Amino acid sequence: FAAFYKRLRANGKKPMVAIAAVMRKIIVTLNARLRDAAIPQS
């Protein structure tokens, strides 16, 4: 996530915009992990 943030900042995004994008990415990643863990393994 740090590399993603640094890339956004290097491309000219404002700090708060970049932080919001990283938070969104973290939420999407966590939701995907929870979804995959909830699938019954048979």
Side-chain angles (χ1 to χ4, degrees):
F1 296 114
F4 178 65
Y5 174 80
K6 289 175 185 172
R7 188 173 76 231
L8 290 174
R9 289 292 293 136
N11 288 338
K13 294 290 183 211
K14 294 179 181 175
M16 282 307 298
V17 173
I19 289 171
V22 172
M23 287 190 296
R24 178 179 165 85
K25 189 176 180 74
I26 290 170
I27 291 169
V28 168
T29 302
L30 289 175
N31 281 337
R33 288 189 183 186
L34 287 172
R35 180 198 64 210
D36 295 344
I39 296 173
Q41 304 293 326
S42 57

